[in-house]
């Protein structure tokens, strides 16, 4: 081998290659770099780029801290968030995340993801992680050591290898597609239509009703509880606004904006709250986003965040699951690269799925109405409310919470009390 070839071979091989620089990718890369691993992140877009998923849960602040990114996030000026408010047929209720069962952070932020994802990626880069933008992973060969075929923006292809691959490609779902791991979700196909607005809520007289910018507002359609809306305030007088439902329930109008605004007008409180709002971003639609896979990991790759399973947006669990997956996977990768054997099923997939399955119970119960009855119950037992609050704050992995350990049974018991 010539000296040049030696250098090229070394440069093209990494301990870990991460596909995608969203929250799961940047956090995983940071955690691995801090353990002395040589990591490369390949991101097909340039940042900032738009992404949906703007309301974080307090639980993810633990992983942000683990990745030494807390100062950067705290100083970025994002909208403070301390809970979730719910509204249906004029009934209002809220959960204060600081009053929860599980110890840990009780507050977080609502973020424009273009900005937030860039902040995480830039912070990882400032820690020493190598990130290449405008590089799309097109093919993978796992027959021996993992090899990737990547195209740059000039359309040129090149190859890279790594001891381990982390797929953090989100809805790009690179490895599920290339390795035929895609499996249908057990949740029905739903559609989300969303936009950003200049909300002008301060200039609307809402009578006794107080709109709390520190909370996401989830509203339920008055005639069809399968349809719900999110309103996520940002710190700049803007909000993210979206509506979710099965496509036949949402209906179709001349364009997406007309559908979104018709549905907003059908919910009286939102109609009033947004009476002075102006749309500042062309409405977009995401359909059939729930996804699943046959396997989450092997001794050559692991799927992080949305590249694995994505459930549903209703409890804003996506970024939290993405970050938890990064944290659990990074520990397993370090262990394997340090020469110990890792059982990826019991050490990665099962621990991750414990929390995902907790969220699944509550997502399913939201849509069949059971969890909505619990949320809107007027005289909740304070201790039970704290336990449910923990789950809404993202602590879906805390087995000491009975509503995590035995989610279905406990939920059904409370449903009986509320009905
Ligand atoms: C309607 C809706 C509303 C949501 N609301 C919320 C919410 O309020 N709160 C919340 O926490 N979550 C929410 N989510 C979920 C959230 O958007 C995701 O869970 C989260 O973004 C997942 O992060 P990630 O790191 O897995 O992937 P992403 O953030 O999607 O990042 C993946 C990255 O991979 C890159 N990539 C893709 N393909 C390739 C390739 N071939 N090569 C190189 N790079 C590639 C992409 O460009 C992208 O930058 C919502 C989801 C939906 C559908």
């Amino acid at each position: 081998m010539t000296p040049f070839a030696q250098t090229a071979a070394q440069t093209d091989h990494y301990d870990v290659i991460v596909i995608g620089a969203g929250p799961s990718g940047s956090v995983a890369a940071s955690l691995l770099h801090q353990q002395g691993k040589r990591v490369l992140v390949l991101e097909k877009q340039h940042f900032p780029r738009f992404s949906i998923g703007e309301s974080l849960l307090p639980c993810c602040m633990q992983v942000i801290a683990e990745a030494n990114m807390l100062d950067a996030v705290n100083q970025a000026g994002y909208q403070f968030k301390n809970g979730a408010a719910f509204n249906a047929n004029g009934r209002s209720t809220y959960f204060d995340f600081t009053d929860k069962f599980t110890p840990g952070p009780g507050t977080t932020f609502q973020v424009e993801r273009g900005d937030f994802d860039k902040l995480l990626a830039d912070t990882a880069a400032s820690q020493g992680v190598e990130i290449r933008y405008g590089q799309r992973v097109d093919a993978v060969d796992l027959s021996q050591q993992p090899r990737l075929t990547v195209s740059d923006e000039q359309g040129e292809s090149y190859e890279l290898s790594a001891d381990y691959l982390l797929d953090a490609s989100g809805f790009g779902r690179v490895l599920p597609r290339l390795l035929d791991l895609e499996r249908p979700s057990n949740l029905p196909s739903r559609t989300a239509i969303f936009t950003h607005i200049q909300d002008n809520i301060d200039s609307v007289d809402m009578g006794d009703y107080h709109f709390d910018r520190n909370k996401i507002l989830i509203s339920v359609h008055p005639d069809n509880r399968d349809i719900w809306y999110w309103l996520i305030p940002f710190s700049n007088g803007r909000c993210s606004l979206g509506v979710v439902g099965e496509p036949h329930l949402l209906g179709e109008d001349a364009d997406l904006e007309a559908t979104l605004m018709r549905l907003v007008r059908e919910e009286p409180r939102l109609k009033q709250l947004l009476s002075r709002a102006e749309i500042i971003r062309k409405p977009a639609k995401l359909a059939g986003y729930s996804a699943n896979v046959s396997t989450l990991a092997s001794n050559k790759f692991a799927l992080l965040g949305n590249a694995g399973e994505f459930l549903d947006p209703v409890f804003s669990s996506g970024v939290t699951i993405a970050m938890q997956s990064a944290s659990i996977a990074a520990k397993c990768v370090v262990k394997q690269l340090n020469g110990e054997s890792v059982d990826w099923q019991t050490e990665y997939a099962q621990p991750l799925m414990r929390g995902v399955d907790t969220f699944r119970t509550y997502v399913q119960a939201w849509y069949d109405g059971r969890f909505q009855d619990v949320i809107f119950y007027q005289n909740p037992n304070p201790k039970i409310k704290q336990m449910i609050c923990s789950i809404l704050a993202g602590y879906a992995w805390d087995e000491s919470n009975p509503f995590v350990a035995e989610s279905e049974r406990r939920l059904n018991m409370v449903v009986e009390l509320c009905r």
Side-chain angles (χ1 to χ4, degrees):
M1 203 184 259
T2 64
F4 172 76
Q6 266 169 8
T7 315
Q10 276 166 7
T11 323
D12 291 349
H13 183 83
Y14 288 82
D15 292 334
V16 185
I17 295 180
V18 182
I19 310 170
S24 61
S26 291
V27 163
S30 160
L31 294 171
L32 290 164
H33 176 79
Q34 286 171 40
Q35 293 300 315
K37 304 304 170 200
R38 185 158 181 260
V39 191
L40 172 67
V41 182
L42 296 168
E43 167 56 56
K44 74 173 178 189
Q45 301 194 58
H46 287 272
F47 282 15
R49 52 93 180 93
F50 179 82
S51 172
I52 197 66
E54 296 141 323
S55 191
L56 306 181
L57 299 181
C59 180
C60 81
M61 303 308 283
Q62 294 177 317
V63 184
I64 291 174
E66 216 184 303
N68 288 329
M69 296 182 174
L70 199 52
D71 286 348
V73 170
N74 280 336
Q75 287 161 16
Y78 297 130
Q79 173 63 48
F80 176 78
K81 175 182 174 185
N82 63 9
F86 294 87
N87 157 44
N89 278 319
R91 284 177 303 157
S92 294
T93 187
Y94 69 89
F95 286 77
D96 175 350
F97 291 162
T98 62
D99 188 14
K100 60 176 167 41
F101 172 82
T102 307
T107 65
T108 184
F109 297 103
Q110 298 176 149
V111 299
E112 292 190 59
R113 283 285 301 280
D115 197 66
F116 178 72
D117 290 11
K118 183 172 184 328
L119 180 86
L120 298 185
D122 287 351
T123 308
S126 72
Q127 293 170 347
V129 171
E130 184 184 349
I131 305 181
R132 294 188 200 164
Y133 292 94
Q135 311 295 309
R136 195 186 64 221
V137 174
D138 291 329
V140 60
D141 177 1
L142 295 184
S143 54
Q144 294 169 19
Q145 190 179 52
R147 285 198 80 77
L148 292 177
T149 307
V150 184
S151 354
D152 66 18
E153 287 172 303
Q154 286 68 49
E156 298 290 328
S157 281
Y158 58 96
E159 289 203 351
L160 295 169
S161 64
D163 289 343
Y164 201 83
L165 287 183
L166 288 176
D167 183 359
S169 62
F171 292 119
R173 300 178 65 74
V174 172
L175 294 189
R177 278 189 295 104
L178 295 174
L179 302 176
D180 194 21
L181 308 175
E182 294 272 25
R183 294 295 178 272
S185 167
N186 60 351
L187 296 165
S189 178
R190 295 191 170 88
T191 294
I193 303 172
F194 47 86
T195 187
H196 282 180
I197 54 174
Q198 188 72 43
D199 59 76
N200 299 319
I201 289 173
D202 287 351
S203 59
V204 178
D205 178 6
M206 291 298 294
D208 290 345
Y209 179 76
H210 167 64
F211 176 64
D212 184 353
R213 297 196 78 88
N214 295 337
K215 294 181 176 62
I216 183 174
L217 174 63
I218 302 287
S219 304
V220 180
H221 191 282
D223 305 322
N224 193 331
R225 63 198 314 200
D226 279 354
I227 301 176
W228 63 272
Y229 312 77
W230 76 73
L231 191 63
I232 301 174
F234 300 130
S235 55
N236 55 4
R238 297 176 176 181
C239 278
S240 171
L241 167 68
V243 62
V244 175
E246 291 182 46
H248 69 279
L249 298 176
L250 297 185
E252 259 186 67
D253 301 79
D255 55 33
L256 286 180
E257 181 171 334
T259 304
L260 178 60
M261 294 328 289
R262 171 178 53 77
L263 289 161
V264 165
R265 282 193 302 273
E266 287 172 10
E267 204 294 297
R269 178 158 290 152
L270 266 190
K271 178 183 173 186
Q272 196 186 353
L273 206 52
L274 300 182
S275 54
R276 303 210 171 152
E278 296 154 48
I279 289 189
I280 53 169
R281 186 185 169 86
K282 196 173 182 304
K285 174 165 109 169
L286 261 178
Y289 38 72
S290 299
N292 206 346
V293 285
S294 57
T295 182
L296 276 174
S298 76
N299 61 356
K300 293 185 177 170
F301 72 87
L303 310 179
L304 307 183
N306 276 16
E309 179 164 5
F310 179 69
L311 291 173
D312 188 272
V314 66
F315 302 126
S316 307
S317 58
V319 171
T320 295
I321 292 172
M323 290 199 179
Q324 286 288 339
S325 70
S327 169
I328 304 171
K331 292 184 183 83
C332 295
V333 173
V334 169
K335 193 174 163 192
Q336 181 168 305
L337 294 183
N338 288 348
E340 291 179 59
S341 77
V342 172
D343 180 336
W344 282 90
Q345 191 55 29
T346 59
E347 293 179 58
Y348 175 66
Q350 284 172 12
L352 177 63
M353 289 312 288
R354 246 173 249 142
V356 175
D357 286 339
T358 304
F359 281 122
R360 188 192 321 278
T361 301
Y362 293 91
V363 165
Q364 282 171 336
W366 171 267
Y367 286 105
D368 68 27
R370 285 174 298 152
F371 197 36
Q372 293 192 28
D373 289 345
V374 172
I375 282 177
F376 287 106
Y377 187 61
Q378 291 302 305
N379 296 304
N381 173 311
K383 192 83 194 160
I384 291 178
K385 185 160 182 176
Q386 285 177 340
M387 291 173 177
I388 289 170
C389 189
S390 277
I391 291 159
L392 295 177
Y395 293 92
W397 288 263
D398 174 17
E399 300 269 353
S400 71
N401 182 350
F403 283 79
V404 171
E406 299 180 292
S407 50
E408 190 71 32
R409 195 174 79 82
R410 289 289 179 155
L411 175 66
N412 284 335
M413 280 168 57
V414 180
V415 171
E416 287 305 310
L417 296 174
C418 297
R419 280 182 170 169

